[in-house]
Amino acid sequence: MYELIQLTERSYYIQNPSRIGLVRLNDTDVCLIDSGGDKDAGRKVRQILDAHGWCLTSIYNTHSNADHIGGNRYLQGQTGCRIYAPGIDCEFTRHPVLEPSFLYGAFPPRDLRHKFLMAQESDAAYLTKDVLPEGFTIIPLPGHFFDMVGFKTPDDVIFLADCLSSRQTLDKYQITFIYDVAAYLNTLEMVCSLTARMFVPAHADAAETIAPLAQYNISKVLETAERILSFCEEPICFEILLQKIFTAYGLTMNFEQYVLVGSTVRSYLAWLKDTGRADAFFEQNMLLWRKI
């Protein structure tokens, strides 16, 4: 864990549950793509920087999930580096309580106000192409989270954030967090067409080709949608639907999984309703879903 892996002359990643990108800008200066899940991750990153005599100039966050911004505050406090985050995710980075609040749909109980869902706040500015190092490109990757992006480095490495999961993760859990299903599928189709020297997803192995994994993720999304529809043959309320999904996939419910999987299932239902495959109606003061 926290091993520095060199991919090309200038591009590296730090082995971590959410891989951290590191790019050398010159002989002394480097930037990071994300910062890991917490202060301890930030401390490990700083040890790597110190061991190589590198100066951290900036952190470019792909999105605002806690496991990608958790090291921001520590590293910014230690190095004075600048932090940039895209669109709405910049507000979540500045005000991390927004993440558990969004997932829960109200002020979150203490069970959800912890580092896995709520990072420490950091002083982030909006990510624009003007603040990128020379030769970098922003790649919009919406779907998993609000305004998530990836980055292409000058030496042709693409960091893909959370836009896809590994086969092992998909086969084990079946359902992964998605905010906007339509945007997610469009992103995966776009990723299938990308070419690069190397691809680095945050939660899958780095690879020279990415299309097969992206296509596998697409197939799992469509499979999950069909499973959800199968439970809606007869009108069903959300809580019973969620229980059936947890049981079918062999998942264990707790507060974290309730909000993460629950939010994702609601996103699927919204997509299925918007595309005319499911409908919602109220009966005896209860919202029910059914397949069309």
Side-chain angles (χ1 to χ4, degrees):
M1 193 63 69
Y2 296 100
E3 180 184 1
L4 181 67
I5 309 295
Q6 184 168 6
L7 299 169
T8 60
E9 181 181 353
R10 296 172 57 182
S11 297
Y12 306 69
Y13 70 86
I14 298 170
Q15 190 68 275
N16 183 266
S18 298
R19 289 179 178 81
I20 301 167
L22 184 150
V23 182
R24 288 194 299 110
L25 305 176
N26 52 47
D27 289 341
T28 57
D29 295 337
V30 302
C31 67
L32 293 180
I33 298 171
D34 293 331
S35 64
D38 55 19
K39 180 178 180 180
D40 288 338
R43 187 178 291 111
K44 295 287 187 181
V45 170
R46 190 181 179 200
Q47 290 173 357
I48 291 172
L49 298 174
D50 290 346
H52 289 81
W54 289 334
C55 174
L56 177 62
T57 64
S58 49
I59 299 171
Y60 297 95
N61 288 138
T62 59
H63 63 301
S64 58
N65 286 168
D67 59 332
H68 291 259
I69 67 170
N72 280 8
R73 183 169 180 172
Y74 172 82
L75 288 167
Q76 190 172 55
Q78 292 290 310
T79 69
C81 68
R82 298 177 298 276
I83 296 173
Y84 301 99
I88 295 172
D89 288 81
C90 187
E91 298 303 329
F92 277 66
T93 304
R94 291 170 173 170
H95 310 286
V97 72
L98 288 172
E99 182 171 349
S101 299
F102 153 70
L103 291 170
Y104 185 61
F107 181 76
R110 188 174 292 109
D111 309 71
L112 299 175
R113 301 195 313 269
H114 52 66
K115 68 178 184 179
F116 296 108
L117 294 179
M118 189 174 78
Q120 291 185 313
E121 65 185 37
S122 53
D123 182 17
Y126 284 105
L127 174 69
T128 65
K129 64 180 181 180
D130 298 330
V131 301
L132 289 176
E134 184 178 356
F136 274 66
T137 303
I138 298 172
I139 302 174
L141 300 171
H144 169 74
F145 215 54
F146 290 91
D147 289 319
M148 190 175 76
V149 301
F151 297 96
K152 186 174 185 178
T153 70
D155 51 355
D156 201 29
V157 174
I158 295 180
F159 290 89
L160 286 169
D162 286 6
C163 76
L164 39 68
S165 299
S166 68
R167 284 177 175 264
Q168 294 87 344
T169 297
L170 291 171
D171 291 342
K172 181 176 181 180
Y173 298 106
Q174 300 298 319
I175 186 168
T176 58
F177 183 83
I178 301 174
Y179 167 64
D180 181 336
V181 177
Y184 189 67
L185 288 171
N186 288 337
T187 287
L188 289 173
E189 292 286 358
M190 181 276 294
V191 168
C192 285
S193 68
L194 291 177
T195 58
R197 189 173 173 186
M198 186 67 69
F199 295 94
V200 186
H203 301 290
D205 292 337
E208 294 180 358
T209 58
I210 203 66
L213 183 57
Q215 192 61 55
Y216 193 69
N217 276 255
I218 291 172
S219 69
K220 282 295 184 180
V221 171
L222 300 179
E223 181 182 304
T224 297
E226 291 301 324
R227 177 63 69 92
I228 291 171
L229 280 174
S230 73
F231 293 133
C232 299
E233 292 285 354
E234 299 293 332
I236 188 171
C237 74
F238 175 78
E239 295 294 338
I240 299 299
L241 172 60
L242 190 61
Q243 180 190 46
K244 287 181 176 292
I245 291 168
F246 267 78
T247 301
Y249 288 152
L251 304 175
T252 300
M253 191 176 287
N254 55 32
F255 247 122
E256 287 179 26
Q257 291 304 308
Y258 176 80
V259 296
L260 290 169
V261 178
S263 178
T264 299
V265 171
R266 287 188 174 94
S267 293
Y268 271 98
L269 290 169
W271 177 62
L272 292 168
K273 186 176 188 299
D274 288 348
T275 54
R277 302 177 66 192
D279 192 17
F281 65 97
F282 294 90
E283 186 174 277
Q284 296 181 346
N285 292 324
M286 183 178 292
L287 175 61
L288 301 177
W289 294 89
R290 65 185 169 194
K291 179 180 178 181
I292 295 177

